[in-house]
Amino acid sequence: MGSILPLRHQPALPLDRLILTDRPGPEAIEMDVAIVGAGPAGLACAIELSRLVTGARAAGRSVPELNIAVLEKAGSLGEHSLSGAVVNPRAFRELFPDLPPDQLPFRQPVTAESVFFLSEQQARRIPTPPTMHNAGFYTASLCEIVRWLGERAEQQGVNLFPGFPVASLLVEGDGVRGVRTTASGLDRSGAPGAGYQEPTDVAAKVTVLAEGTRGMLTQAWREWQKVSAPNPQIFALGVKEVWEVKRPLDRVIHTLGWPLPADAFGGSFMYPLGPAQVAIGLVVGLDYHDASLDVHQLLQRMKLHPLFRPWLTAGQLLEWGAKTIPEGGFYALPERRHGDGILILGDAAGFVDVPSLKGIHYAMQSGIFAARAAFEALTAGDTGAGALAAYDRMVEGSFIAADLHRTRNMRLAFKDGLYVGGVKAGLMTLTGGRLLGGKIAVDEDAAAPRAPRPAPSFTPDGTLTFSKVDAVFKSGNATRDTIPSHLMVGRDVGAEVADFYAHMCPAGVYERAGDELKVNAPNCVDCKATDVLGPRWTPREGGSGPKYRLM
Ligand SMILES: Cc1cc2nc3c(=O)[nH]c(=O)nc-3n(C[C@H](O)[C@H](O)[C@H](O)COP(=O)(O)OP(=O)(O)OC[C@H]3O[C@@H](n4cnc5c(N)ncnc54)[C@H](O)[C@@H]3O)c2cc1C
Ligand code: SF4
């Protein structure tokens, strides 16, 4: 058996579908700002924009009303949101300076934390690395944060469009002039069926891409405008469950080591979400080497470990979900996150600090900066690249760039495996990132060869451990099973590659049938791992995918 090179089987980005030189149609909805994605980045941007208009008017400035739209692919706000989450509240403080912490959408303050190194049967407590200190932060559900931010945005006059996935950017010259949504009501062959609704065009002076991890439009815009970065972006896949438990967890827990092989980067978390719920998850870098590695299955095994099992026994799985995380850090940031009529925020830009597993406050802060740049550009009547460059200057002068610069090589050092990486990361922490500070070059995840290995057998018990079919049910996914497949499979996908995809996808979308790949596209929960390593993901009918409530 030879090794598998994922890149060889991956189709190119469908640029002809993602970037359209059409003008917005005559029926287009006219907006000043169209924000793609109602996550923390997009909603913070919308709220800050409307705050700026209100503030300017209160100060006597003659500022026109701004029409702000937020387009979201989930059927309802928060249903596609998934995080850990321990939240640094600093961006909330900036956006809602008058609200005390107990009125913010958090579950509880972090009062204690422990880090463990796991072997199969044991958990050895290790000192908490400085990057993982969470004092002053709060545990939360991102779904709840997003619903709460959405209510505030709506109260401030922002137009929210849940169930409207954006399929394409509408461009003219080098500028972005709006977006086009997906059609809905297509039948399996892609032809209009019962309840067909054609795509909607939204014309906008500024289009804000807040589409989260592995954003398709961001990838397309960067390829079209040739916007590179020192390193390619790399990703991890996180699989997470929320459990009802019989006794409260008294601390935030992080682990390293088992069940991951030593040549894979990642770790687990268990967070208290109030007296009767916990979040438990496992995050694994998608540059792993073993083609049979299966993050969903590893999480199932992990729950049986003596550290976790006592908490979950007699409890109940409430919800399951999965999502990727951009892990490339400072050296993977696009050289610019602005252009003519466009701004890129949050995970779409790569604003995640991996050593602390934090992205929410960076996403929100980038939304606040984008709003400020867009507001000044719109009031000056110039939304070209020169005017919107103010956004990048704000990011570069802020804690977003400073934090990512400080930890710039910590994740990249783990390309050499857990132990060498651990030593290097320790040295970097001790020296504030100065030692070993030159760029460590990495390849994209799909360029890492995978060794086909026999998959370990594992039978879920249906009580503590669950199959992928049960897991997808617990994500609330009720996608119409007659829509066309949104997954573009590449070439030469034989039996071994089909097995690799089947292990990679946490939602059981891919199966090997004989020597062929079978695709159960409606199962997809939009984690985007496939787009990193396998068949391309594209936006599908609005409201498809998971219906998370607690993630
Ligand atoms: C397992 C895991 C654990 C994490 N733990 C933490 C943590 O403890 N603390 C922390 O601070 N951060 C954590 N993060 C990171 C954090 O969740 C992200 O950095 C943050 O959610 C990014 O916000 P965002 O608004 O940029 O993107 P998202 O939250 O991903 O929101 C993007 C939105 O855009 C929508 N969208 C995407 N494409 C389209 C389209 N074409 N059309 C319309 N809508 C679209 C999506 O449905 C989504 O609602 C974690 C992430 C994961 C996966
Ligand atoms: S098919 Fe969907 S659920 Fe499966 S890996 Fe890809 S994006 Fe994730």
Side-chain angles (χ1 to χ4, degrees), residues 188-206:
R188 210 173 271 142
S189 73
Y196 172 73
Q197 283 190 328
E198 59 184 22
T200 305
D201 284 359
V202 179
K205 299 186 183 93
V206 181

Side-chain angles (χ1 to χ4, degrees), residues 34-38 42 69-72 165-166 169 179 207-212 217:
I35 300 172
V36 181
V70 182
L71 296 115
E72 167 56 48
V166 172
L169 295 178
V179 298
T207 297
V208 177
L209 298 184
E211 54 180 337
L217 302 162

Side-chain angles (χ1 to χ4, degrees), residues 487 505-507 509-510 524-530 537:
L487 300 163
C505 173
V509 168
Y510 302 112
C524 176
V525 294
D526 292 6
C527 78
K528 307 276 188 73
T530 193
W537 180 97

Side-chain angles (χ1 to χ4, degrees), residues 95 104 109 122 127 136 143 161 171 263 298 391 410 419-420 482 502 550:
L95 206 51
L104 296 173
Q122 286 184 333
C143 300
F161 293 97
V171 306
D263 60 0
L298 287 176
Y391 163 65
M410 284 192 190
Y419 298 107
V420 179
T482 49
L550 302 168

Side-chain angles (χ1 to χ4, degrees), residues 41 55 84 166 187 197 266 290 295 315 318 345 396 401 406 450 519 522-523:
V166 172
D187 68 19
Q197 283 190 328
D290 176 354
V295 185
L318 299 176
L345 331 177
E396 274 148 26
R406 194 173 310 118
R450 316 293 152 134
V519 182
N523 278 14

Side-chain angles (χ1 to χ4, degrees), residues 179-387:
V179 298
R180 178 167 296 166
T181 67
T182 56
S184 58
L186 297 173
D187 68 19
R188 210 173 271 142
S189 73
Y196 172 73
Q197 283 190 328
E198 59 184 22
T200 305
D201 284 359
V202 179
K205 299 186 183 93
V206 181
T207 297
V208 177
L209 298 184
E211 54 180 337
T213 179
R214 192 66 174 182
M216 302 307 293
L217 302 162
T218 303
Q219 288 183 68
W221 178 78
R222 286 185 57 186
E223 200 167 309
W224 172 55
Q225 286 291 299
K226 302 189 174 40
V227 176
S228 63
N231 270 341
Q233 187 55 272
I234 55 172
F235 294 86
L237 173 61
V239 180
K240 172 182 165 184
E241 297 179 354
V242 175
W243 280 71
E244 186 183 284
V245 290
K246 297 290 173 210
R247 59 191 170 112
L249 178 66
D250 63 347
R251 62 192 53 238
V252 157
I253 291 176
H254 289 104
T255 75
L256 301 167
W258 190 86
L260 295 185
D263 60 0
F265 175 80
S268 85
F269 60 87
M270 182 155 76
Y271 300 152
L273 292 175
Q277 282 180 13
V278 299
I280 180 167
L282 182 66
V283 174
V284 184
L286 287 177
D287 53 353
Y288 59 80
H289 302 294
D290 176 354
S292 71
L293 190 145
D294 183 326
V295 185
H296 169 79
Q297 198 190 93
L298 287 176
L299 174 63
Q300 303 312 305
R301 288 173 184 275
M302 195 188 90
K303 288 185 292 176
L304 302 175
H305 190 279
L307 180 67
F308 300 114
R309 188 175 192 140
W311 296 102
L312 306 178
T313 301
Q316 195 194 346
L317 172 65
L318 299 176
E319 209 165 278
W320 173 97
K323 193 159 226 172
T324 49
I325 309 172
E327 284 204 331
F330 186 78
Y331 289 123
L333 297 180
E335 64 196 5
R336 63 186 164 99
R337 282 82 60 184
H338 72 274
D340 181 358
I342 189 164
L343 293 166
I344 301 177
L345 331 177
D347 275 18
F351 297 142
V352 172
D353 181 54
V354 178
S356 59
L357 190 58
K358 296 284 179 297
I360 294 172
H361 66 295
Y362 299 119
M364 289 178 68
Q365 190 68 48
S366 68
I368 294 169
F369 289 150
R372 291 176 187 164
F375 177 75
E376 290 307 326
L378 285 161
T379 46
D382 173 8
T383 53

